[in-house]
């Protein structure tokens, strides 16, 4: 298994489980799914305005839980009218841990073309190829492409930690210079350069420095490419109603980023030949399938995910001097000065791991999960059973599901040591952020993120490196405002 390389060094993690939803208990009543989709056109528009403008996504879902007295209900999610005529916004929301887990039971749901709901960005963004994220496990091509992605990660495991650390040194050197010069430095650009640099070396097997244009602007090209695909489904806090009129009313065409994508494609084709050859010879993929899937893993899955996750992690640490002191103490007491950081060397940092998990619980990099019913089945929440019909689209908003009070004590509070000790480690069975539970194992038979364990271990390396280098770091918004270097 791919993940065994990394999971074997995770501290005290329970035996991986698929966490298949149990059969509904006989004591739970069968209940009609509450809520409605409203009038055609008008209902979806009203929900869209609530979702993006009047309430925001989290409040949108929480208010409906209160209204229907249920964590399972019918509603609409964007995008919708006027120009998304082929997109059905009707969903069944599943917003507690128990109902949310059905999203990952591949016996009863499918994942074909539902990465961001019934809306699917144009395949022109990926070379007219449906990449792995849009394939269902029942499709033959899924196993080939998922196995290829897992192979890339497995082969990169020997250099992953060292490349992360080397790129982190460059990032923090840049930030240090900015803080010294003006007492504040935006970390976004150095952070994205760090992410792009180490991922390109690990996944593509190429140093961006061989192409001055890619080294300088590759991360910007990926930013625009990812952003335009997701724009109809995300809020950018632009002045309303202009955001609704110009950003959420239609899909943006690929030609706006066609030139940049071609440059990235050519870079991977020229400098990632060893990886591409494995895709063709070992996994029976065409050169085009291999290259476009590799670019999607690099740009959408990895770069896009880390770009969201790392700022959340910095925000979780900022303004918490006591937490930083505890993390600093753990790092320095368990890792001797001068020790090279590896997956093995950070495996016993229980508090660091817990902080990473807690950040993923409250601020998952992928906020929404979707799945379509493969057949008629019964879905259970904590207190009810609901009849799901084949073809129904299920939608889970992770931040709400991951604050389930029946699973997590004080669920809306950031508790740094929540996932420590035996009780905390058991909670990992209910930590869903990666299209499956933290204790699950990615495979070609499921849709769990192939790099699930690499993500958490990279974040652990990020925090560990920070407290080897600094006694404290202060951030405000997207800027680092103060650093106190380690003695």
């Amino acid at each position: 298994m791919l993940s065994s390389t990394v999971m074997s060094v995770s501290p005290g993690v329970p035996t991986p489980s698929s966490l298949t939803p149990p059969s509904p208990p006989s004591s739970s009543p069968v209940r009609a799914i509450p809520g409605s989709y409203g009038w055609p056109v008008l209902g979806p528009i009203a929900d869209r305005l609530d979702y993006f403008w009047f309430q925001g996504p989290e409040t949108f879902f929480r208010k409906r839980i209160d209204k229907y007295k249920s964590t399972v209900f019918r509603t609409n999610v964007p995008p919708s009218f006027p120009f998304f005529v082929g997109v059905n916004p009707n969903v069944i929301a599943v917003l507690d841990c128990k109902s949310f887990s059905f999203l990952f039971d591949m016996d009863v749901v499918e994942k074909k073309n539902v990465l961001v709901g019934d809306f699917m960005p144009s395949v022109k963004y990926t070379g007219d190829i449906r990449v792995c994220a849009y394939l269902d496990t029942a499709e033959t091509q899924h196993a080939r492409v998922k196995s290829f992605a897992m192979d890339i990660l497995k082969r990169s495991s020997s250099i992953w930690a060292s490349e992360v650390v080397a790129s982190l040194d460059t990032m923090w050197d840049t930030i240090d210079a900015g803080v010294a010069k003006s007492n504040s430095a935006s970390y976004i650009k150095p952070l994205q350069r760090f992410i792009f640099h180490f991922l390109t070396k690990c996944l593509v097997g190429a140093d961006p420095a061989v192409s001055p244009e890619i080294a300088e602007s590759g991360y910007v090209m990926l930013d625009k490419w990812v952003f335009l695909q997701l724009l109809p489904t995300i809020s950018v806090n632009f002045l309303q109603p202009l955001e609704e009129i110009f950003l959420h009313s239609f899909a943006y065409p690929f030609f706006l980023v066609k030139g940049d994508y071609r440059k990235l494609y050519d870079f991977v084709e020229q400098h990632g030949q060893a990886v591409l050859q494995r895709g063709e010879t070992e996994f029976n993929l065409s050169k085009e399938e291999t290259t476009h899937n590799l670019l999607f893993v690099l740009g959408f899955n990895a770069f896009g995910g880390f770009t969201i996750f790392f700022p959340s992690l910095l925000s979780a640490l900022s303004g918490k001097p006591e937490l930083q002191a505890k993390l600093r103490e753990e790092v320095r007491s368990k890792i001797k000065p001068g020790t090279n950081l590896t997956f093995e060397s950070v495996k016993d940092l229980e508090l660091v791991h817990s902080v990473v998990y807690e950040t993923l619980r409250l601020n998952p990099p992928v906020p929404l999960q979707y799945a379509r019913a493969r057949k008629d089945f019964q879905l259970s929440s904590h207190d009810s059973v609901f009849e799901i019909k084949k073809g129904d689209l299920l939608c889970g908003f992770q931040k709400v599901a991951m604050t389930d009070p029946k699973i997590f004590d004080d669920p809306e509070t950031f508790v740094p040591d929540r996932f420590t000790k035996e009780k905390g480690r058991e909670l990992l069975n209910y930590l869903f952020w990666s299209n499956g539970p933290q204790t699950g194992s990615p495979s070609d038979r499921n849709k769990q993120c192939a790099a699930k364990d690499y993500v958490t271990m990279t974040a652990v390396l990020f925090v560990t490196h920070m407290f080897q280098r600094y006694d404290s770091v202060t951030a405000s918004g997207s800027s680092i405002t103060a650093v106190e270097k380690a003695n």
Side-chain angles (χ1 to χ4, degrees):
M1 291 297 298
L2 158 74
S3 59
S4 63
T5 303
V6 179
M7 286 194 68
S8 62
V9 297
S10 298
V13 173
T15 301
S17 164
S18 61
L19 208 67
T20 301
S23 300
S26 57
S27 59
S28 295
V30 176
R31 178 183 177 187
I33 302 173
S36 73
Y37 303 127
W39 290 97
V41 180
L42 297 179
I45 287 180
D47 284 343
R48 166 187 157 183
L49 294 177
D50 279 346
Y51 186 93
F52 279 133
W53 189 351
F54 303 126
Q55 297 173 351
E58 184 174 353
T59 302
F60 174 89
F61 288 112
R62 291 193 186 281
K63 279 186 173 292
R64 284 154 179 76
I65 290 175
D66 292 340
K67 178 180 179 180
Y68 301 125
K69 307 302 179 188
S70 174
T71 53
V72 178
F73 53 84
R74 299 183 189 276
T75 189
N76 300 288
V77 294
S80 61
F81 185 82
F83 297 121
F84 297 94
V85 292
V87 177
N88 184 351
N90 302 164
V91 300
I92 297 171
V94 287
L95 299 171
D96 62 272
C97 273
K98 191 170 185 179
S99 63
F100 192 75
S101 69
F102 281 82
L103 290 167
F104 319 112
D105 181 357
M106 301 313 299
D107 288 334
V108 297
V109 300
E110 65 169 333
K111 295 279 190 171
K112 183 178 181 180
N113 298 343
V114 294
L115 180 66
V116 287
D118 198 55
F119 166 71
M120 180 180 173
S122 170
V123 291
K124 291 185 181 299
Y125 279 95
T126 51
D128 290 317
I129 288 173
R130 288 174 56 240
V131 293
C132 189
Y134 294 103
L135 299 176
D136 179 57
T137 53
E139 297 180 77
T140 302
Q141 201 69 354
H142 177 270
R144 294 175 182 171
V145 181
K146 182 73 174 283
S147 296
F148 170 58
M150 294 166 65
D151 178 74
I152 295 171
L153 289 161
K154 184 176 181 179
R155 289 174 183 270
S156 70
S157 63
S158 62
I159 64 167
W160 192 282
S162 61
E163 292 296 346
V164 167
V165 171
S167 296
L168 276 173
D169 284 332
T170 301
M171 182 192 86
W172 285 114
D173 286 346
T174 302
I175 292 173
D176 283 347
V179 172
K181 182 178 180 180
S182 58
N183 296 320
S184 178
S186 172
Y187 63 75
I188 298 300
K189 184 175 178 179
L191 177 69
Q192 288 201 317
R193 284 183 178 274
F194 145 67
I195 295 169
F196 178 73
H197 187 86
F198 94 80
L199 285 174
T200 303
K201 294 190 75 172
C202 290
L203 300 179
V204 181
D207 188 340
V210 301
S211 169
E213 184 176 20
I214 296 299
E216 178 64 27
S217 304
Y219 73 97
V220 179
M221 296 175 185
L222 287 181
D223 272 335
K224 292 187 292 183
W225 176 73
V226 173
F227 181 68
L228 288 186
Q229 292 179 73
L230 297 179
L231 190 53
T233 69
I234 60 176
S235 178
V236 295
N237 297 316
F238 192 58
L239 182 66
Q240 293 286 16
L242 298 181
E243 179 174 327
E244 290 312 300
I245 295 172
F246 294 108
L247 302 185
H248 294 151
S249 293
F250 48 85
Y252 278 73
F254 171 63
F255 76 78
L256 294 172
V257 291
K258 181 178 179 180
D260 285 344
Y261 187 77
R262 186 71 238 182
K263 291 174 183 178
L264 291 165
Y265 186 96
D266 291 343
F267 174 82
V268 171
E269 184 179 42
Q270 181 178 355
H271 300 288
Q273 292 179 9
V275 177
L276 299 181
Q277 187 175 17
R278 289 203 306 274
E280 294 179 66
T281 59
E282 297 183 29
F283 299 96
N284 198 28
L285 300 171
S286 71
K287 182 179 180 180
E288 289 72 24
E289 288 174 315
T290 305
T291 310
H292 290 297
N293 273 285
L294 178 56
L295 265 174
F296 196 88
V297 169
L298 169 68
F300 197 104
N301 297 138
F303 177 81
F306 277 126
T307 293
I308 297 171
F309 178 39
F310 279 129
S312 296
L313 188 57
L314 283 170
S315 178
L317 298 175
S318 186
K320 299 182 177 71
E322 292 183 2
L323 173 58
Q324 291 199 22
K326 290 178 180 178
L327 290 167
R328 182 176 68 242
E329 179 182 0
E330 182 180 65
V331 167
R332 297 181 188 177
S333 65
K334 294 189 176 182
I335 299 180
K336 296 179 180 179
T339 301
N340 291 330
L341 293 185
T342 64
F343 292 148
E344 180 67 26
S345 69
V346 300
K347 69 177 183 178
D348 294 325
L349 301 179
E350 189 176 38
L351 181 60
V352 176
H353 279 82
S354 181
V355 166
V356 169
Y357 294 140
E358 184 73 341
T359 304
L360 287 167
R361 183 181 73 88
L362 288 176
N363 290 290
V366 179
L368 290 158
Q369 291 284 356
Y370 294 92
R372 194 177 301 280
R374 195 182 296 275
K375 60 184 179 181
D376 294 354
F377 69 94
Q378 288 190 323
L379 177 145
S380 55
S381 65
H382 290 302
D383 53 18
S384 300
V385 175
F386 303 91
E387 299 286 351
I388 304 297
K389 299 300 182 183
K390 180 179 180 180
D392 285 343
L393 186 62
L394 307 181
C395 169
F397 187 72
Q398 294 195 34
K399 191 169 184 178
V400 172
M402 293 297 96
T403 53
D404 185 340
K406 294 186 181 296
I407 301 296
F408 301 103
D409 296 332
D410 197 9
E412 296 183 38
T413 300
F414 187 95
V415 181
D417 62 352
R418 185 184 300 276
F419 294 99
T420 62
K421 302 179 181 178
E422 184 176 354
K423 180 180 178 181
R425 290 191 291 270
E426 284 296 321
L427 285 177
L428 293 176
N429 285 296
Y430 305 97
L431 176 61
F432 299 93
W433 65 270
S434 62
N435 227 341
Q438 180 58 35
T439 50
S441 294
S443 80
D444 61 9
R445 299 179 301 279
N446 63 32
K447 293 298 290 183
Q448 187 151 34
C449 173
K452 185 241 331 169
D453 298 304
Y454 285 80
V455 171
T456 55
M457 293 304 291
T458 302
V460 168
L461 290 169
F462 184 95
V463 175
T464 303
H465 179 274
M466 190 165 73
F467 288 109
Q468 281 188 321
R469 181 172 177 130
Y470 302 107
D471 285 342
S472 67
V473 174
T474 304
S476 178
S478 60
S479 295
I480 301 295
T481 55
V483 292
E484 183 179 345
K485 291 189 176 181
N487 296 321

